Amino acid sequence: MRLHATSTPLFSSAASDGYKRRQKENSIKSAANKKAFLRDDRHAVAFAGRSNVGKSSVINSLLNRKNYARVGATPGKTVQVNYFLVDGAYFIDLPGYGYARVSGDERRRWGALMEDFFQEPNLFTMGVLIVDSRHAPTADDVTMAEYFFDAGRPFVVVANKCDKLKKSEIEPNLERIRDVLGLDDDFPLLLYSCTAKVGRRELLGFIENNI
């Protein structure tokens, strides 16, 4: 399926819950519980990553937009699944995790929502797990990778903010990511930088080949 990253987003009234079509640039469909998940057989790409990893910025860069997926002022504050319609397929922005200032209740809500989401593998076609290329993946990153593996859907790991790495750090850091997340040598792991425009073409190609 060919994605046109600069196309105007239009929400279809054919979605299963019948929400109305809106044309605001930042229009989203949000689901705070499993009853609100969209189940209308569209292809869907699920984006996951910890708070402050740049998940919204990656989505924006894929679509050549600045504010399509809003960058939250308070990371980890809202636990919900956000849907964007892009050329007939959903981009699903899963709630960020790992923000130190959220309450224990918010962390439990995140865990419950993610368990509900990944218990229905048909809710998405493929996944994009975004990690920080500068650091070892966190325990929460490992948990998210396990969610994707257990769902049996193809997914790619995106090592974001690679523009902040020295050239000599790139390969060792990628190897560390593979080791911590338990990725085979041939598992797709992409360097990415929104500011340096690295990895966008490769990530779009992976998405197009898997939906």
Side-chain angles (χ1 to χ4, degrees):
M1 178 178 182
R2 181 68 177 171
L3 294 176
H4 301 282
T6 57
S7 63
T8 301
L10 295 176
F11 284 80
S12 170
S13 59
S16 60
D17 65 346
Y19 63 92
K20 293 183 179 180
R21 181 178 180 178
R22 292 168 292 173
Q23 297 185 33
K24 295 180 181 179
E25 185 175 9
N26 292 309
S27 293
I28 60 174
K29 163 67 181 179
S30 298
N33 56 64
K34 63 182 180 181
K35 291 182 179 179
F37 294 154
L38 295 185
R39 300 174 176 87
D40 60 4
D41 298 324
R42 293 183 187 273
H43 289 297
V45 184
F47 292 81
R50 68 178 180 81
S51 299
N52 285 336
V53 78
K55 177 161 50 70
S56 294
S57 296
V58 169
I59 296 174
N60 288 333
S61 73
L62 286 176
L63 302 178
N64 276 333
R65 300 244 180 164
K66 285 187 177 181
N67 297 306
Y68 189 65
R70 293 180 179 176
V71 179
T74 307
K77 188 68 175 178
T78 304
V79 180
Q80 60 187 11
V81 174
N82 294 319
Y83 292 82
F84 304 83
L85 189 60
V86 180
D87 286 356
Y90 290 125
F91 275 19
I92 305 175
D93 186 3
L94 298 178
Y97 51 82
Y99 188 59
R101 296 184 183 179
V102 299
S103 67
D105 287 342
E106 286 293 293
R107 289 192 183 93
R108 285 186 286 274
R109 284 186 60 211
W110 176 87
L113 190 64
M114 290 301 90
E115 286 182 9
D116 287 339
F117 183 84
F118 283 98
Q119 281 176 358
E120 293 187 59
N122 290 334
L123 291 176
F124 68 103
T125 311
M126 61 155 290
V128 178
L129 174 57
I130 303 168
V131 299
D132 193 324
S133 65
R134 300 169 297 175
H135 310 296
T138 66
D140 288 329
D141 290 325
V142 173
T143 297
M144 184 55 68
E146 291 173 349
Y147 276 134
F148 278 121
F149 277 124
D150 291 345
R153 295 295 192 180
F155 74 102
V156 57
V157 175
V158 170
N160 197 26
K161 304 183 181 181
C162 70
D163 57 294
K164 301 182 183 298
L165 292 177
K166 297 178 182 178
K167 188 174 181 179
S168 61
E169 296 174 323
I170 293 176
E171 287 304 321
N173 284 27
L174 289 178
E175 185 61 31
R176 180 172 60 182
I177 291 170
R178 287 191 182 278
D179 182 58
V180 175
L181 295 182
L183 309 179
D184 293 335
D185 290 341
D186 59 350
F187 189 92
L189 172 60
L190 303 178
L191 284 170
Y192 205 94
S193 169
C194 300
T195 56
K197 302 185 185 302
V198 173
R200 179 180 179 272
R201 184 184 300 273
E202 291 79 5
L203 182 53
L204 279 176
F206 186 89
I207 293 172
E208 289 171 356
N209 289 333
N210 284 277
I211 63 173

